[in-house]
């Protein structure tokens, strides 16, 4: 293992201007603000404009992260975009972001790990920097989930939104914070619990099935909830232990923003007070790979933690996938 420590040098996020409230959704499907909020904790979500793609959201978040890190796009060596809603199946959305930024020397590729994607990208980038393969990396979680939602299904359309978050990683200088530990896992036996069944090689969209909503998100909510709480707790506990931390050492927990009941359950199981758990779910809904990245940036910029504080990020998504990271800021 390299002695190189890796720090998060800057964060950024972007959400579209259009707000879709619970009241707006009540005009579209049989639901209400009370029904949605009491079950999820969501009040509203952001929806990308027509002609605004995942790559556009990702680019804007990336620009803000680069600005905070004091790094020019021309200096970036690696770009990883975590997304399940790419602009195109090929080329990768990261290639469009590289072009948009003018990051000509960066190697760019996508990863698909659903809501866990940003922390998957963090672990990959950290290891590559430690191995001296790259001096720095730009990792981005970005989603335009509104393009993959069945707006006639009230059980799913109320949950999701659009947005992007980004972070710049590089080798740490003396006195800077660092990523202390990372963890990730997968259980492919549970692929049926949360998926987009159509649109891939197994089920191409044709004229015969175009109206069957196969290229939209489908979910078995109760089963997802059960697995999410268990796996997120296990992953968070592992990075906390590896970092030599105790619950009282953690200034801020930033969980995946999917459901307030899941977030509360995680806080309880980790013995961390709710006031030290960052939540912005009410404003944005579930933005999949973007959710923890947006939350990290907002927590960073609003002073939810300070230099030297220990924070824990923990996520769970389709696959099933899960991941966690402990970070000294």
């Amino acid at each position: 293992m390299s002695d190189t420590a890796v720090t998060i040098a800057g964060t950024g996020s972007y959400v579209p201007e259009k707000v879709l409230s619970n009241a707006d959704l009540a005009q579209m499907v049989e639901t209400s603000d009370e029904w949605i909020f009491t079950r999820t904790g969501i009040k509203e979500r952001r929806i990308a404009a027509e002609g605004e793609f995942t790559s556009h959201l990702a680019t804007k978040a990336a620009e803000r992260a680069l600005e905070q890190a004091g790094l020019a796009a021309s200096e970036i060596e690696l770009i990883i975009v975590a997304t399940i809603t790419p602009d195109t199946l090929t080329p990768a959305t990261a290639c469009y972001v590289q072009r948009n930024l003018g990051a000509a020397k960066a190697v760019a590729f996508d990863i698909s790990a659903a809501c866990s994607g940003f922390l998957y990208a963090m672990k990959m980038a950290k290891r590559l920097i430690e191995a001296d393969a790259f001096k720095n990396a730009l990792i981005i979680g970005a989603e335009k989930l509104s393009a993959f939602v069945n707006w006639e299904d009230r059980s799913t359309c109320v949950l999701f939104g659009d947005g992007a978050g980004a972070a710049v990683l590089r080798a740490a200088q003396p006195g800077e914070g660092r990523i202390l530990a990372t963890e990730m896992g997968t259980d492919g036996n549970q692929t049926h619990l949360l998926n987009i069944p159509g649109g891939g090689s197994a089920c191409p969209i044709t004229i015969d099935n175009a109206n069957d909503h196969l290229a939209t998100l489908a979910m078995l909510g109760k089963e997802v909830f059960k697995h999410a709480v268990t796996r997120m707790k296990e992953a968070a506990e592992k990075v906390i232990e590896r970092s030599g931390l105790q619950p009282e050492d953690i200034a801020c927990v930033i969980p995946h923003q999917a459901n307030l009941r899941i977030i509360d359950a995680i806080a309880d199981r980790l013995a961390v007070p709710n006031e030290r758990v960052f939540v912005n779910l009410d404003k944005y809904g579930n933005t999949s790979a973007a959710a923890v990245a947006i939350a990290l940036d907002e927590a960073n910029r609003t002073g939810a933690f300070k230099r030297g504080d220990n924070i824990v990020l923990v996520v769970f998504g389709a696959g099933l996938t899960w991941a966690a990271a402990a970070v000294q800021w």
Side-chain angles (χ1 to χ4, degrees), residues 22-53:
N22 290 347
D24 295 329
L25 278 169
Q27 304 300 312
M28 300 165 57
V29 293
E30 185 180 348
T31 191
S32 68
D33 174 60
E34 181 184 15
W35 190 92
I36 297 169
F37 184 70
T38 56
R39 287 163 175 78
T40 68
I42 300 168
K43 296 290 288 185
E44 59 189 36
R45 67 287 296 146
R46 299 299 182 94
I47 304 297
E50 187 173 350
E52 190 173 38
F53 311 140

Side-chain angles (χ1 to χ4, degrees), residues 130-179:
E130 288 173 342
D132 202 29
F134 299 94
K135 290 184 172 59
N136 56 56
L138 172 63
I139 61 172
I140 307 167
E143 305 286 10
K144 186 180 176 179
L145 289 165
S146 60
F148 295 87
V149 166
N150 178 358
W151 292 103
E152 299 175 6
D153 178 10
R154 75 167 186 167
S155 67
T156 56
C157 75
V158 303
L159 303 175
F160 300 103
D162 302 336
V168 174
L169 275 57
R170 60 164 171 76
Q173 301 298 316
E176 288 186 323
R178 62 194 180 96
I179 300 171

Side-chain angles (χ1 to χ4, degrees), residues 198-264:
S201 62
C203 182
I205 301 304
T206 68
I207 192 169
D208 294 323
N209 65 20
N211 295 321
D212 294 339
H213 299 295
L214 295 174
T216 60
L217 286 154
M219 182 173 64
L220 299 176
K222 290 182 180 180
E223 286 297 309
V224 170
F225 182 99
K226 179 178 68 175
H227 286 282
V229 172
T230 300
R231 295 301 192 177
M232 289 171 72
K233 173 182 179 289
E234 291 172 351
E237 286 177 338
K238 286 180 180 178
V239 297
I240 291 169
E241 181 181 357
R242 287 179 199 154
S243 303
L245 302 175
Q246 299 296 323
E248 58 269 24
D249 300 324
I250 301 167
C252 187
V253 173
I254 304 177
H256 176 48
Q257 307 290 310
N259 184 297
L260 191 56
R261 293 177 180 178
I262 294 177
I263 293 172
D264 287 344

Side-chain angles (χ1 to χ4, degrees), residues 6 78-80 109 118-139 167-170 179:
V6 176
L78 174 65
I79 299 172
I80 306 175
F109 60 88
F118 183 74
L119 293 192
Y120 270 44
M122 182 180 290
K123 185 179 183 78
M124 293 172 64
K126 173 180 178 288
R127 289 303 183 107
L128 288 166
I129 293 170
E130 288 173 342
D132 202 29
F134 299 94
K135 290 184 172 59
N136 56 56
L138 172 63
I139 61 172
V168 174
L169 275 57
R170 60 164 171 76
I179 300 171

